[in-house]
Structure formats: C-alpha cells, structure tokens
Amino acid sequence: MCGIIGYVGKGQAYPVLIGGLKRLEYRGYDSSGVGLIPSMLNGKIVLRKTDGKIANLEKLVKSQPIPESSLGISHTRWATHGAPNKVNAHPHSDNTGRISIVHNGIIENYELLRDKLKKRGHKFKSETDSEVVAHLISEYYKNDLKAAVIRAIKDLKGAFALGVISLDHPDELVAARVGSPLIIGIGKSENYIASDVPAILEHTKRVIYLKDEELAVLTTDNVDVFKFNGQKVRPKIDRVTFKLDAVAKGGYAHFMLKEMHEQPDVLKQMLNARIKKDAISLEGIGLTDKQIKAIKNITVVACGTAYHAGMVGKYIIESLASVPVTVDAASEFRYRNPIVDKNTLILAISQSGETADTLAAIREARKRGAKVISICNVIGSSLARESDGILYTHAGPEIGVASTKAYTAQLCMLYLLGIKLGAAKQHLKPAEMKRLIKDLKQVPKLYEKILANKNSIARIAKANSHFGCFLFLGRNINFPTALEGALKLKEISYIPAEGYAAGEMKHGPIALIDEYRAVVCVATQSDTYEKMISNIQEISSRKGNIIAIATEGDKSIRKHVHHTIYVPKTNNLLTPLLTVLPMQMIAYYISVKRGCDVDQPRNLAKSVTVE
Ligand code: F6R
C-alpha cells in the first residue's frame, strides 16, 4: 500500500506531486505529505504533512505556502506501523534534516536497526518502520547519496520502494525498489518516480518499470539505473498505451460506477483479441499446445475478489476440461506446506500483480518446482515479471478500491482458458466449443441490458439499504458469486454480510433469518433451480426479505420474494459473468444511499503490498 511520487526537472515540483498523489490516493488515504528542496536553498527541506486525505494536504499548503522548488518527493499512506497522523506521515527525515525519504512497503527489521541507530545518537520522531531508512542513509552518507542509499539497503529486510532527496544534492532524486512497485517516468527536462503509471500519465507516457533490486538516479536531463552492486544497467523504456481519460471519472459520480459500465467493452475487447475463427489464442501463456494438453492439475492462488474468480474458475475448468483444480487463498497457501511439485500448474490471479500474499505464494510454489502462469491486469507488475506465462486481462486501470471490471475480466479469461484446455484434452467436443464461444461473445450485449436496468436495481438497493445484516446465497457455479456479492457490500457499505452456499444454509446461517435480514439469492435457471426455490421458501417462511437474481422470463419466482432482478438467459456455465453485475450494483447503490465513500472505503487500500 501507500503511493509515492517524486519529481526532478525544470518545472515546479509541487503541482506535479499533488496531482500525482490524487491519482495514487486509491493506494492509501489516511495521511499524506510532501518534501521539497527549495530552489533558493535556505538550509532546510520544506515539509508539509497531515492526516486524512490529499485534500487536507492541499488545504495545509494553501495555509502554509511553499517556496519554489523543482525537486521533491511525496507520499499517500495506508498505515501499517503507527497511527495515521501528522508525525507518522511521510516524508521522514534524518536528524540533520538534510535527507528525506518516502517509503512504500514494510521494513521488517526496523526495531533492531532503530535500536542500533539510537545507540549511535539518532533521535526518532515517529512510530513508523520507514523513519529508520532516513537515519540509516544519513549514517552511511559521505557526500555520495547513491552510495549511501545502496549501503543502507544492504541492512534492510522486507519490501520497499524508496524515494530519497538530500539538501546536498539539490538536483538529484534517488529511487530504489525491492518487492514494492516503482516506475520511472521519462519527460523532457523532467523525470519522475511513482508507484503506478496513473500518477504521471498527465506528463509522460514513457516509463521504465524498475526491476527488483535496482536503483535509479534521476536528474533533470538524465536517468541512470544500477543494480545494488553498483553495476550500471540499460533499462527498457516502455510506452504506456492507455490514455489519461482511462484514469479520470469521465462524468461518472464514482470510479466504481464508471468501471462497472466499462465491463461490456473490456469483455468485448478481450474476446475480439483472443478468439480467432472459433479458436482461442492464449498468447503469453508460456506453454506449448502439447504442454497445455499435458496439464494434470491446477492450483489457483489469489486473494479477495481474485480468489472468488479462482473459485468460479474451478467450476469452469473442471467442467470443460475435467482437470482437477484446487483453489487456495494465497495467504493460507504459503503457510501450510502445500503439496506442489513440478507437475503442478500454479494459476495466480491478481488485478494489481503486487499483492504481497499472492507473490509470496508463487515464490513458494516456484521453489517447489511448479510452473506459474498468471492472470493479471497491470502490465509489468511483479507478478507478471515473476511468472512463466502471463495472460493480461487488459481491463485498463481500475481505480475504485472495490474490484469490478477486473473481476469480470478475470472470469472471462478463465472461460477462455477452460475452453482451450477442454479442447486440447478433447473433453470439449468441437460443436460444444463452438456453441460456448458463440454464447460467450453474446455476453457484452447482455451486460448492456443489465446496465440499462440500473434505475430499477438502484431502487431495489435503496429500498433495502436500511438492513443491518445481509446474507448472500448461491449454489454451484454461483456460490462464488454469493461470496463476491457479500464482499462487495461489506467493503463499501460496512454492512455485515455473509456469502454462503445455499445448501449450507440449514447448517447454521438459517438462524440469522428474521424480518430484520435481507437475503440476496442467485436463483437463475439451472439444474439446482428447484433446490434454490426450496431455500427461498425456507427464508420466506422465516420472514427474511428476499432479493432474487433470476433469469428473465421467470415470473413464478416473484410470488416467493420481495424483489426480483432479472438477468438475460444464457448458457448456465456463463451465468457468473452476468449474476455478479447486479451484486456490484446493489453494493454500489446501498453504499451511495448510506453516504459511504464508495471509491475509498475506510481501512482499505487498492493494492495490498504488505502481508
Ligand atoms: C475487493 C478487492 C480485493 C482484491 C484483493 C486482491 O473488491 O478488490 O479483495 O481483490 O486485495 O487484489 P489483487 O487482485 O490486486 O491481487
């Protein structure tokens, strides 16, 4: 978590930094700060720090104006060590006040280092792990900032992306990374560092994705990249393809709403790019057709919403290809001695490609000899770089903290993978494959239909927004949809919500049902429809308030439930792609009605780069 941005150039640093922080706010938003080397050197790094959102920092700078400066660093924080307040906000400085740093990640051995440094006379102000980095660099500093940073890094354990400035080097910005993401933007007579591309997109599209254990020295006209042993490397400069409007709200009230509406296009683009004359192209997967055919079992590792996508993936792949799939929460996988070897294919799923637990899981699996392929949205992310094969979802930047389009893009990729695998294994007959591809291609149009019904879904959501507890039920391939519906609601509206396999209801959750609960039931036409109707009747006779997500044309369901949201008819296997949309919309409209911060819910951050 946390976002950092730094600037060195001929222009003014502050506007670039504050603009960049706003675009990084999705990474953390409990406090923020900026550190600048004034153009007219006066012996001090100018610091402005505050708790709360970036708007507070802007207010502070208005009330305490800053001098002209063309070198600076800034930070938006998601607290790990120490409360979110002004003192713990970044940048942190050494005792001389001549060196300041911003840090994203966790310094695991900070207590040990802090104790050592205290003995050497360093005085600490904050409760953070990050402050130790500033003192350590100062300890090793002998007129060469780059050398001091490299030396300090040798003592650090953990994950970090760092931006460092020093009064003694008023035209130099030093950056380094281990584990946490960091990119460099190449401008004209100005250069940037940032945690993510959107922060600098307004200024440049030319970026270097700094690799792990690399350090960069940026000046106005130059960027040099080094390994930690001091060896200079020639970095690859990439050109970002997405446009600035991809990271703007574009007239929508919230990023989440915009991203929900982008789903038809995201899927359309993926299907157009990946389906060629009824054959699936999984370019990037890093496996030959022969290797795909030879896959014997798959273990999915992922977190949160991506984990739910993996659960749907299990149903898809087992049904289409008859290949057994295990789905593990990445945070559990790594600590339970997983049975994984060179015959296991690990499938990691992640929007950001920076989730610490998912990365740790694939590293563990690779140690045990497994091959790793990933479904990931962020190009050049750590996950993409560390995988043997990568299937990019190309959903575009997802800014809303609650994942929407990234999830449906992950599902779509899992269908493509399932079909490819099923065909390779000859489990899926050519005619079935053709039909499924045809149905899949229809999905974007069906999305438009559901989205067009948004006023009615909003009405239903608002009418139920007063309930203090929600239960989400689904069966079979829509059981993960129920889990995802509950996750969406609780993260953006703070209403306690549980997702359950409907068949499990009698084994406990039914005790929750009374007139004060709302129950969202996925009851689309399928082999388990009758069973779902029985569950609905059980809830109804206990006075639960039921919202059913049903197949268009199913009028009879209405007599059992309070509200019905229809989704168009499609192949049963594809229903999770459709049923999740009303779930997202229910969560969104309830959150809005309750006055919650939809895009930046409390305590959360978009990419969880710490354990
Ligand atoms: C929920 C949500 C999170 C993420 C999870 C994994 O809406 O966004 O649960 O899905 O933190 O993140 P990625 O996919 O970036 O690995």
Side-chain angles (χ1 to χ4, degrees):
M1 345 280 232
C2 303
I4 64 185
I5 169 158
Y7 173 90
V8 57
K10 286 202 170 133
Q12 287 299 312
Y14 176 72
V16 175
L17 298 182
I18 202 79
L21 282 183
K22 284 185 195 160
R23 298 212 186 275
L24 290 178
E25 206 168 12
Y26 71 90
R27 300 178 68 85
Y29 34 82
D30 60 38
S31 51
S32 61
V34 50
L36 300 156
I37 308 269
S39 303
M40 304 286 282
L41 285 178
N42 65 357
K44 265 202 206 135
I45 293 178
V46 175
L47 294 175
R48 296 287 183 270
K49 310 203 282 185
T50 180
D51 58 0
K53 298 202 171 178
I54 310 297
N56 291 9
L57 182 63
E58 272 186 304
K59 262 192 229 150
L60 177 72
V61 170
K62 267 199 188 121
S63 65
Q64 295 174 24
I66 47 166
E68 292 202 340
S69 162
S70 44
L71 171 60
I73 49 178
S74 60
H75 187 271
T76 180
R77 181 167 184 247
W78 183 86
T80 57
H81 298 68
N85 58 29
K86 179 179 170 177
V87 178
N88 290 331
H90 297 220
H92 292 288
S93 305
D94 69 332
N95 287 150
T96 66
R98 299 186 72 77
I99 294 175
S100 289
I101 65 106
V102 284
H103 165 226
N104 170 31
I106 285 193
I107 307 298
E108 285 164 6
N109 58 340
Y110 79 100
E111 283 178 320
L112 191 85
L113 294 170
R114 193 180 51 194
D115 291 347
K116 273 193 197 164
L117 287 160
K118 273 186 181 169
K119 283 187 191 134
R120 293 186 53 79
H122 292 262
K123 293 204 168 31
F124 285 77
K125 291 190 184 125
S126 76
E127 305 157 284
T128 66
D129 55 331
S130 311
E131 189 182 354
V132 83
V133 180
H135 292 271
L136 206 54
I137 294 170
S138 170
E139 180 71 14
Y140 291 123
Y141 179 71
K142 292 192 187 88
N143 300 321
D144 183 341
L145 188 59
K146 174 186 136 214
V149 175
I150 289 183
R151 179 60 195 87
I153 282 171
K154 284 199 179 127
D155 292 353
L156 300 178
K157 284 206 179 106
F160 48 85
L162 296 172
V164 186
I165 53 172
S166 160
L167 271 184
D168 296 346
H169 303 266
D171 53 358
E172 195 172 294
L173 172 58
V174 177
R177 70 159 288 195
V178 172
S180 304
L182 197 65
I183 60 152
I184 293 169
I186 314 283
K188 285 196 182 114
S189 299
E190 49 190 13
N191 293 305
Y192 317 80
I193 59 165
S195 299
D196 199 358
V197 173
I200 55 165
L201 201 55
E202 204 175 319
H203 310 287
T204 182
K205 290 196 161 188
R206 297 175 69 220
V207 301
I208 296 168
Y209 294 93
L210 206 61
K211 295 197 180 112
D212 249 357
E213 310 206 355
E214 279 185 353
L215 171 140
V217 179
L218 290 78
T219 57
T220 297
D221 295 310
N222 195 39
V223 174
D224 284 328
V225 178
F226 304 87
K227 292 194 171 153
F228 288 170
N229 63 10
Q231 186 196 334
K232 202 164 170 180
V233 292
R234 244 181 96 189
K236 181 169 169 265
I237 300 179
D238 283 293
R239 203 171 172 81
V240 178
T241 47
F242 56 81
K243 296 198 177 89
L244 196 57
D245 57 10
V247 294
K249 279 191 205 146
Y252 287 93
H254 299 97
F255 280 110
M256 184 180 174
L257 187 62
K258 177 185 178 223
E259 287 156 8
M260 289 192 302
H261 278 84
E262 283 173 349
Q263 293 178 108
D265 281 344
V266 167
L267 295 205
K268 218 182 287 166
Q269 274 172 31
M270 186 188 297
L271 296 171
N272 284 344
R274 297 285 187 174
I275 300 173
K276 304 272 181 251
K277 291 196 187 129
D278 289 339
I280 309 269
S281 150
L282 292 184
E283 203 192 320
I285 195 169
L287 300 171
T288 61
D289 283 355
K290 206 169 148 204
Q291 284 171 316
I292 292 179
K293 195 172 173 185
I295 293 171
K296 294 240 162 11
N297 60 73
I298 297 177
T299 295
V300 175
V301 290
C303 296
T305 286
Y307 171 69
H308 296 154
M311 288 179 75
V312 179
K314 175 179 169 71
Y315 286 89
I316 298 170
I317 294 170
E318 291 188 346
S319 146
L320 294 179
S322 197
V323 170
V325 180
T326 311
V327 189
D328 256 309
S331 52
E332 290 295 320
F333 173 87
R334 51 186 300 207
Y335 292 117
R336 68 160 175 77
N337 193 17
I339 316 289
V340 164
D341 60 22
K342 63 177 181 7
N343 299 315
T344 315
L345 180 73
I346 295 286
L347 176 59
I349 307 177
S350 171
Q351 188 285 129
S352 63
E354 301 295 347
T355 300
D357 286 316
T358 307
L359 290 172
I362 67 151
R363 286 171 193 151
E364 182 60 40
R366 292 190 82 172
K367 253 196 253 158
R368 292 167 189 245
K371 236 185 172 29
V372 175
I373 63 166
S374 295
I375 295 178
C376 183
N377 194 36
V378 176
I379 294 166
S381 60
S382 301
L383 184 64
R385 281 201 307 271
E386 292 184 34
S387 300
D388 299 296
I390 172 79
L391 296 170
Y392 280 122
T393 46
H394 294 295
E398 191 178 64
I399 312 279
V401 164
S403 189
T404 52
K405 63 175 178 173
Y407 176 74
T408 42
Q410 287 159 357
L411 290 191
C412 193
M413 189 59 86
L414 285 160
Y415 284 105
L416 295 172
L417 179 62
I419 295 172
K420 179 90 179 174
L421 209 54
K425 297 224 166 241
Q426 289 164 351
H427 185 77
L428 188 63
K429 304 278 170 297
E432 284 174 84
M433 173 170 160
K434 220 172 158 180
R435 207 173 322 124
L436 195 54
I437 289 179
K438 195 170 159 224
D439 291 342
L440 197 53
K441 281 181 165 172
Q442 294 304 312
V443 168
K445 263 196 227 137
L446 307 185
Y447 268 36
E448 304 280 9
K449 255 182 129 173
I450 300 172
L451 287 166
N453 194 23
K454 70 176 172 201
N455 290 344
S456 138
I457 298 177
R459 247 192 326 273
I460 293 171
K462 285 174 190 164
N464 287 277
S465 61
H466 60 287
F467 285 108
C469 171
F470 272 71
L471 196 59
F472 288 76
L473 299 176
R475 279 179 179 263
N476 204 274
I477 198 164
N478 276 303
F479 160 45
T481 313
L483 295 178
E484 178 58 8
L487 176 62
K488 284 288 90 83
L489 184 68
K490 60 189 148 193
E491 70 180 324
I492 60 170
S493 74
Y494 321 136
I495 298 174
E498 270 207 78
Y500 246 90
E504 286 290 293
M505 194 182 65
K506 288 195 208 68
H507 303 284
I510 198 163
L512 290 172
I513 309 292
D514 60 19
E515 66 266 46
Y516 305 110
R517 319 292 140 179
V519 189
V520 182
C521 297
V522 186
T524 42
Q525 295 294 342
S526 72
D527 294 348
T528 53
Y529 175 75
E530 300 301 336
K531 302 247 180 286
M532 200 65 215
I533 293 297
S534 302
N535 291 129
I536 286 176
Q537 279 165 337
E538 286 154 10
I539 300 162
S540 173
S541 54
R542 285 162 184 82
K543 299 202 177 85
N545 292 273
I546 306 171
I547 304 168
I549 297 176
T551 306
E552 227 168 51
D554 179 1
K555 290 200 178 106
S556 67
I557 198 167
R558 286 203 216 142
K559 62 178 175 283
H560 304 296
V561 304
H562 296 77
H563 306 278
T564 309
I565 299 173
Y566 286 112
V567 295
K569 191 163 175 47
T570 184
N571 185 319
N572 180 40
L573 196 68
L574 300 179
T575 51
L577 273 171
L578 302 188
T579 50
V580 75
L581 223 64
M583 298 286 194
Q584 297 170 350
M585 292 160 87
I586 289 170
Y588 173 78
Y589 288 111
I590 289 182
S591 174
V592 171
K593 173 77 181 161
R594 289 172 75 109
C596 300
D597 192 337
V598 175
D599 284 335
Q600 295 176 349
R602 71 184 182 203
N603 303 341
L604 286 171
K606 182 76 185 160
S607 49
V608 186
T609 57
V610 294
E611 262 194 74

Coordinates of all heavy atoms in Angstrom, one line a residue, residues 303-307 349-355 358 398 401-404 410 484 487-488 491 605-608, ligand 1:
C303 N -6.2 -13.7 -3.8 CA -6.8 -13.1 -2.6 C -8.1 -12.3 -3.0 O -8.2 -11.8 -4.1 CB -5.8 -12.0 -2.0 SG -4.3 -12.7 -1.5
G304 N -8.9 -12.3 -2.0 CA -10.1 -11.4 -2.1 C -11.0 -11.7 -3.3 O -11.3 -12.9 -3.6
T305 N -11.3 -10.7 -4.0 CA -12.2 -10.9 -5.2 C -11.5 -11.8 -6.3 O -12.2 -12.6 -6.9 CB -12.4 -9.4 -5.8 OG1 -13.3 -8.8 -5.0 CG2 -13.0 -9.5 -7.2
A306 N -10.2 -11.7 -6.4 CA -9.5 -12.5 -7.4 C -9.6 -14.0 -6.9 O -9.7 -14.9 -7.8 CB -8.0 -12.1 -7.4
Y307 N -9.7 -14.2 -5.6 CA -9.9 -15.6 -5.1 C -11.3 -16.1 -5.5 O -11.4 -17.3 -5.9 CB -9.7 -15.5 -3.6 CG -10.1 -16.8 -2.8 CD1 -9.3 -17.9 -2.9 CD2 -11.2 -16.8 -2.0 CE1 -9.7 -19.1 -2.2 CE2 -11.5 -17.9 -1.3 CZ -10.8 -19.1 -1.4 OH -11.1 -20.2 -0.7
I349 N -4.0 -15.4 -9.8 CA -4.9 -14.4 -10.3 C -4.8 -13.1 -9.5 O -4.9 -13.1 -8.2 CB -6.4 -14.9 -10.3 CG1 -6.5 -16.2 -11.0 CG2 -7.3 -13.9 -10.9 CD1 -7.9 -16.9 -10.9
S350 N -4.6 -12.0 -10.1 CA -4.4 -10.7 -9.4 C -4.7 -9.5 -10.3 O -4.1 -9.5 -11.4 CB -3.0 -10.6 -8.8 OG -2.8 -9.4 -8.2
Q351 N -5.4 -8.6 -9.9 CA -5.6 -7.3 -10.6 C -4.3 -6.6 -10.7 O -3.8 -6.3 -11.7 CB -6.7 -6.5 -10.0 CG -7.2 -5.3 -10.7 CD -6.2 -4.1 -10.7 OE1 -5.9 -3.6 -11.8 NE2 -5.7 -3.7 -9.6
S352 N -3.8 -6.3 -9.5 CA -2.6 -5.4 -9.4 C -1.3 -6.1 -9.7 O -0.4 -5.5 -10.2 CB -2.5 -4.9 -7.9 OG -2.3 -6.0 -7.1
G353 N -1.2 -7.4 -9.5 CA 0.0 -8.1 -9.7 C 1.1 -7.7 -8.6 O 2.2 -8.0 -8.7
E354 N 0.6 -7.0 -7.5 CA 1.5 -6.6 -6.5 C 1.1 -7.1 -5.1 O 1.7 -6.7 -4.1 CB 1.6 -5.1 -6.4 CG 2.1 -4.4 -7.7 CD 3.6 -4.8 -8.1 OE1 4.3 -5.3 -7.2 OE2 3.9 -4.5 -9.2
T355 N 0.0 -7.9 -5.0 CA -0.5 -8.4 -3.8 C 0.6 -9.3 -3.1 O 1.0 -10.3 -3.6 CB -1.8 -9.2 -4.0 OG1 -2.7 -8.3 -4.6 CG2 -2.3 -9.7 -2.7
T358 N 0.0 -13.1 -2.7 CA 0.0 -13.8 -4.0 C 1.4 -14.0 -4.5 O 1.8 -15.1 -5.0 CB -0.9 -13.1 -5.0 OG1 -2.2 -12.8 -4.4 CG2 -1.1 -13.9 -6.3
E398 N -7.9 0.1 -12.9 CA -9.0 0.0 -12.0 C -8.7 0.9 -10.8 O -7.8 0.6 -10.0 CB -9.3 -1.4 -11.6 CG -10.6 -1.6 -10.9 CD -11.0 -3.0 -10.6 OE1 -10.2 -3.6 -9.7 OE2 -11.9 -3.6 -11.1
V401 N -11.6 1.2 -5.2 CA -11.0 0.1 -4.4 C -11.7 -1.2 -4.6 O -11.1 -2.3 -4.6 CB -10.9 0.6 -2.9 CG1 -10.6 -0.5 -2.0 CG2 -9.8 1.7 -2.8
A402 N -13.0 -1.1 -4.7 CA -13.8 -2.4 -4.9 C -13.6 -2.8 -6.3 O -14.0 -2.1 -7.3 CB -15.3 -2.1 -4.6
S403 N -13.1 -4.0 -6.5 CA -12.8 -4.6 -7.8 C -14.1 -4.9 -8.5 O -15.0 -5.6 -8.0 CB -11.9 -5.8 -7.6 OG -11.5 -6.2 -8.9
T404 N -14.3 -4.5 -9.8 CA -15.5 -4.8 -10.6 C -15.0 -5.4 -11.9 O -15.1 -6.5 -12.2 CB -16.4 -3.6 -10.7 OG1 -15.6 -2.5 -11.2 CG2 -17.0 -3.2 -9.4
Q410 N -11.2 -11.2 -15.3 CA -10.6 -12.5 -14.8 C -11.5 -13.7 -15.2 O -11.0 -14.7 -15.7 CB -10.3 -12.4 -13.3 CG -9.2 -11.5 -12.9 CD -9.3 -11.0 -11.4 OE1 -10.2 -11.4 -10.7 NE2 -8.3 -10.3 -11.0
E484 N -18.8 -13.2 -3.5 CA -18.3 -11.9 -4.1 C -19.4 -10.8 -3.8 O -19.0 -9.6 -3.5 CB -18.1 -12.0 -5.6 CG -17.7 -10.8 -6.4 CD -16.4 -10.1 -5.9 OE1 -15.7 -10.7 -5.0 OE2 -16.2 -9.0 -6.3
L487 N -18.8 -9.7 -0.2 CA -17.6 -9.0 -0.1 C -17.8 -7.5 -0.6 O -17.4 -6.6 0.1 CB -16.4 -9.6 -0.8 CG -15.1 -8.9 -0.9 CD1 -14.5 -8.8 0.5 CD2 -14.1 -9.6 -1.7
K488 N -18.4 -7.4 -1.8 CA -18.6 -6.1 -2.3 C -19.4 -5.2 -1.3 O -19.1 -4.1 -1.1 CB -19.4 -6.1 -3.6 CG -18.7 -6.5 -4.9 CD -17.7 -5.6 -5.5 CE -16.3 -5.7 -4.9 NZ -15.4 -6.7 -5.4
E491 N -17.4 -4.3 2.0 CA -16.3 -3.4 1.9 C -16.7 -1.9 1.6 O -16.0 -1.0 2.0 CB -15.2 -3.9 0.9 CG -15.6 -3.9 -0.6 CD -14.5 -4.4 -1.5 OE1 -13.3 -4.2 -1.2 OE2 -14.9 -5.0 -2.5
A605 N -7.1 -0.4 1.0 CA -6.3 0.2 0.0 C -6.4 -0.7 -1.2 O -6.7 -1.9 -1.1 CB -4.9 0.3 0.5
K606 N -6.1 -0.2 -2.4 CA -6.3 -0.9 -3.6 C -5.4 -2.1 -3.7 O -5.8 -3.2 -4.0 CB -6.2 0.0 -4.8 CG -6.5 -0.7 -6.1 CD -7.9 -0.9 -6.3 CE -8.2 -1.7 -7.6 NZ -9.6 -2.3 -7.6
S607 N -4.1 -1.8 -3.5 CA -3.2 -3.0 -3.7 C -2.5 -3.3 -2.3 O -2.0 -2.4 -1.7 CB -2.2 -2.8 -4.8 OG -1.6 -1.6 -4.7
V608 N -2.6 -4.5 -1.9 CA -2.2 -4.9 -0.6 C -0.8 -5.4 -0.7 O -0.6 -6.6 -0.8 CB -3.2 -5.9 0.1 CG1 -2.8 -6.2 1.5 CG2 -4.6 -5.3 0.0
Ligands
F6R1 C1 -12.2 -6.4 -3.3 C2 -10.8 -6.3 -3.7 C3 -9.8 -7.1 -3.0 C4 -8.7 -7.6 -4.0 C5 -7.6 -8.3 -3.3 C6 -6.6 -8.9 -4.3 O1 -13.0 -5.6 -4.1 O2 -10.5 -5.5 -4.6 O3 -10.3 -8.2 -2.3 O4 -9.4 -8.4 -4.9 O5 -7.0 -7.4 -2.4 O6 -6.0 -7.9 -5.1 P1 -5.3 -8.2 -6.4 O7 -6.3 -8.7 -7.4 O8 -4.7 -6.9 -6.9 O9 -4.3 -9.2 -6.1

